[in-house]
Amino acid sequence: MVSVQPQEVTVSVIDVDATILPPWSARALLHVDLDAFFAAVEQLDHAEWRGRPVIVGGHSSRRGVVSTASYEARAFGVHSGMPSVRAASLCPDAVWAPPRFSRYKELSDAVFRIFEHHAALVQPVSVDEAFLDVTSGRYAGEHPVEIARRIRADVALLGLTASVGVATSKTVAKIASDHDKPDGLTVVWPGEEAQFLAPLPVRAMGGIGPRTTDRLQALGIHTLGSLAALDEMTARSVLGVDGLGYVLRAQGVDPSPVRDNEAVKSVSKERTFATDKRTVAEVEHELQDLVSRVCSRLRSKGVAGRTVTVKLRFGDFTTRTARKTLADSTNDETIVGEVALDLLRDTWSAGVGLRLLGVGVSGLSTPATQLDLFGADPAVTKVGRTGLVENIDAIRKRFGHDAVRFGTELTDRKGPER
């Protein structure tokens, strides 16, 4: 058994609210994480819900899952991804709010404008968190702690709170932002990364999930300090080819850069149904509606993809995925829809209950125009189709996706989206 115990360490305490701060002579990265974002927006917009447990997601009566729980709800053990039935039993007096993604995007966009005002390099992680490079002399002219203070203050003006980690690497900044939530500012000064990380549990580091945690703990490795002390051979035997990388990150060594506006890798949409779908008509209708929404989003981002994926979760909770890679990239729902329909028919039979259905497109790139050498005039075919789609997208952008629907979509749709 491997059992490595970290030495006792002391991290110096510096008042981050002080007027005069020690100089920062290293790379400076921030990880900014909005606190319980979806739930916080609901409490912002509904004053009567402030101070009460709020759960955003599908209610237990609709067999949904928890998207976000306010900190008041988390005190009862409710967390993201939990089945709504379980959340309702833990917190029966919670306020349940259906997701309002357009509102969340509105506030997310406002927050990211704040990030971009204060930092030259911003890498979104999700709608409610991002890495920022504010290295003084390279990307910023001020102390990184001062920038972190102002970002938190500007976010507060929107009625939200953000927890911020300041450090020399992404790994440490991310862990630091989780260290004092909600509404916290945690600074790990240059040279103190290893001391800060050492006493923390191994699961505090991104990429270490429950199975890896169990494997490490079975070997007596409970803290990041003990992980940091592993030799390369042991690390590889326990964690595989990435073992040394985990050890270095546990030591606070992570040179990965902040990538501004990192490219989207895929676009997908899933829908969980209140009651299982069983008939060909209703399942194919749901599939086409998901395809339409995915392709609209692809076009809005100016990208197209080659790989189409269909995801199915059956009534017994087993999950299957099927995918096909095309010769050319596309964001046309006619093409994607035909492929998705073939994948569905290969993996599902009428009468078998479907609890969840999803469609995704990956292998993204900027779409290229290819003329049909043997077909009709492209002005009539390709351009005509593109113009039609662009007009439909414009109408949907102004009046909502359901303002224009294709024949395959013209049935009543029920069930929460997520």
Side-chain angles (χ1 to χ4, degrees):
M1 175 180 289
V2 179
S3 182
V4 184
Q5 298 297 327
Q7 297 180 341
E8 291 292 325
V9 294
T10 302
V11 180
S12 62
V13 178
I14 300 174
D15 183 3
V16 295
D17 292 324
T19 303
I20 300 177
L21 294 164
W24 190 288
S25 56
R27 188 170 68 145
L29 307 186
L30 311 184
H31 181 262
V32 186
D33 190 3
L34 298 175
D35 300 315
F37 179 48
F38 291 179
V41 173
E42 298 302 334
Q43 290 176 317
L44 173 66
D45 291 350
H46 302 87
E48 68 277 15
W49 294 353
R50 296 171 194 170
R52 297 182 60 189
V54 174
I55 300 174
V56 178
H59 193 273
S60 58
S61 63
R62 300 179 67 84
R63 295 197 322 184
V65 296
V66 174
S67 174
T68 308
S70 70
Y71 283 90
E72 295 87 353
R74 295 182 192 189
F76 290 87
V78 179
H79 58 77
S80 299
M82 174 181 285
S84 297
V85 172
R86 174 64 175 157
S89 67
L90 290 174
C91 190
D93 296 327
V95 175
W96 287 81
R100 296 184 297 146
F101 295 112
S102 60
R103 175 60 171 154
Y104 306 150
K105 184 179 186 303
E106 177 187 353
L107 282 171
S108 174
D109 289 346
V111 169
F112 273 84
R113 285 194 292 271
I114 292 172
F115 295 165
E116 291 162 359
H117 176 73
H118 292 292
L121 286 178
V122 178
Q123 180 180 336
V125 178
S126 65
V127 296
D128 58 353
E129 62 176 310
F131 288 104
L132 287 65
D133 193 328
V134 292
T135 302
S136 182
R138 185 178 182 187
Y139 296 116
E142 295 179 87
H143 198 288
V145 175
E146 289 284 6
I147 296 173
R149 289 173 179 167
R150 290 209 319 277
I151 287 173
R152 293 176 69 240
D154 289 349
V155 170
L157 293 176
L158 297 176
L160 303 169
T161 64
S163 294
V164 182
V166 187
T168 59
S169 73
K170 281 182 169 180
T171 292
V172 181
K174 167 67 174 173
I175 295 174
S177 70
D178 289 333
H179 194 66
D180 185 26
K181 292 181 73 71
D183 198 21
L185 172 60
T186 301
V187 179
V188 181
W189 301 88
E192 297 186 347
E193 296 86 358
Q195 296 96 314
F196 170 74
L197 297 174
L200 301 178
V202 290
R203 65 179 180 274
M205 191 167 74
I208 298 183
R211 292 184 180 179
T212 304
T213 297
D214 291 343
R215 191 159 64 248
L216 290 170
Q217 291 182 344
L219 296 170
I221 303 169
H222 297 276
T223 66
L224 291 177
S226 56
L227 177 58
L230 288 184
D231 62 88
E232 181 176 351
M233 182 177 297
T234 304
R236 290 186 184 278
S237 67
V238 176
L239 297 168
V241 294
D242 296 325
L244 181 58
Y246 282 108
V247 170
L248 291 173
R249 291 173 62 210
Q251 295 170 355
V253 179
D254 175 12
S256 58
V258 171
R259 295 183 177 89
D260 194 23
N261 295 323
E262 193 172 49
V264 176
K265 297 180 180 179
S266 65
V267 171
S268 62
K269 186 77 174 174
E270 294 180 359
R271 183 169 296 141
T272 301
F273 307 122
T275 57
D276 290 350
K277 301 291 184 182
R278 298 180 181 276
T279 70
V280 171
E282 60 186 356
V283 171
E284 292 188 357
H285 155 67
E286 297 288 351
L287 181 80
Q288 294 295 345
D289 186 60
L290 291 169
V291 166
S292 176
R293 293 174 186 273
V294 167
C295 289
S296 287
R297 190 174 174 194
L298 287 169
R299 292 191 295 269
S300 72
K301 293 179 176 295
V303 295
R306 293 183 58 204
T307 300
V308 179
T309 301
V310 171
K311 176 181 176 182
L312 305 95
R313 181 167 299 145
F314 300 100
D316 62 358
F317 285 91
T318 58
T319 302
R320 292 187 63 185
T321 57
R323 58 179 54 86
K324 181 178 180 180
T325 299
L326 309 176
D328 299 306
S329 297
T330 184
N331 53 24
D332 188 325
E333 51 250 63
T334 302
I335 299 172
V336 175
E338 290 176 355
V339 175
L341 194 58
D342 287 341
L343 294 173
L344 173 71
R345 291 168 176 169
D346 287 342
T347 52
W348 173 80
S349 299
V352 177
L354 276 185
R355 179 185 180 90
L356 175 146
L357 184 63
V359 174
V361 176
S362 56
L364 305 185
S365 62
T366 302
T369 300
Q370 180 176 346
L371 300 181
D372 184 355
L373 299 179
F374 304 101
D377 184 344
V380 178
T381 55
K382 179 75 174 181
V383 174
R385 169 69 183 175
T386 301
L388 172 63
V389 169
E390 288 176 350
N391 287 334
I392 290 172
D393 285 343
I395 294 171
R396 284 172 166 170
K397 183 176 181 180
R398 182 173 180 183
F399 299 106
H401 186 87
D402 291 339
V404 178
R405 309 187 75 177
F406 293 95
T408 54
E409 303 173 65
L410 295 178
T411 61
D412 291 335
R413 177 175 57 82
K414 298 179 182 179
E417 296 178 20
R418 65 180 186 87

